[in-house]
Amino acid sequence: MRRHVFFAALFATIAAAALPAAAGEADVVAVAVERHPGTEDMFDFRVTVLSNDRDTSYYADAVEIVGPDGNVLSRHALQHPQTEQPFTHELDDMRVPVGIQRVTVRVHHKPRGYDGQTVSIQLPR
């Protein structure tokens, strides 16, 4: 539980400082990642998104972890618009193949696609 408090405080600080001047409809504004102890390929991600969510036809509808070759390693659907902005989505137990040192986190916007800011992050190994 303390870990969640730490991440909440960390994201509040990072998100406030990282808001982009020119933004897309859905931007990744902060990412934190932790490796599971005793593993080489399991990670937990905390992704903070700032999105121009209006209704169920216009909102951030997925968060993706993308490898350096452009392949999507993980995609998590977001089922509804978020009223609180920015918001943080937790992606736990993500398997990233050994050998990949850096990933990009992006958010998909319905209907705009991938027009927003992404974050590239080094994985803790």
Side-chain angles (χ1 to χ4, degrees):
M1 189 54 79
R2 283 186 180 191
R3 193 166 102 183
H4 293 292
V5 172
F6 167 76
F7 279 117
L10 174 67
F11 277 113
T13 302
I14 292 173
L19 296 178
E25 290 301 293
D27 297 305
V28 177
V29 295
V31 176
V33 60
E34 278 188 351
R35 183 176 54 83
H36 285 217
T39 70
E40 292 186 30
D41 64 348
M42 294 295 291
F43 299 87
D44 294 334
F45 289 83
R46 303 292 176 268
V47 180
T48 300
V49 173
L50 180 62
S51 177
N52 186 11
D53 290 7
R54 297 181 190 159
D55 56 38
T56 56
S57 67
Y58 202 89
Y59 73 104
D61 66 348
V63 176
E64 297 179 342
I65 309 296
V66 181
D69 58 1
N71 286 330
V72 176
L73 302 173
S74 180
R75 178 181 171 90
H76 291 275
L78 303 173
Q79 301 300 322
H80 55 82
Q82 302 293 320
T83 55
E84 183 177 317
Q85 294 290 333
F87 65 93
T88 299
H89 187 68
E90 298 180 5
L91 296 92
D92 291 328
D93 304 322
M94 298 293 97
R95 188 172 305 279
V96 177
V98 174
I100 293 180
Q101 298 177 7
R102 179 174 285 282
V103 296
T104 299
V105 181
R106 68 184 182 186
V107 64
H108 184 268
H109 186 271
K110 175 184 178 180
R112 298 292 299 245
Y114 302 100
D115 75 336
Q117 175 178 307
T118 64
V119 170
S120 178
I121 189 165
Q122 185 78 25
L123 296 175
R125 291 289 184 175

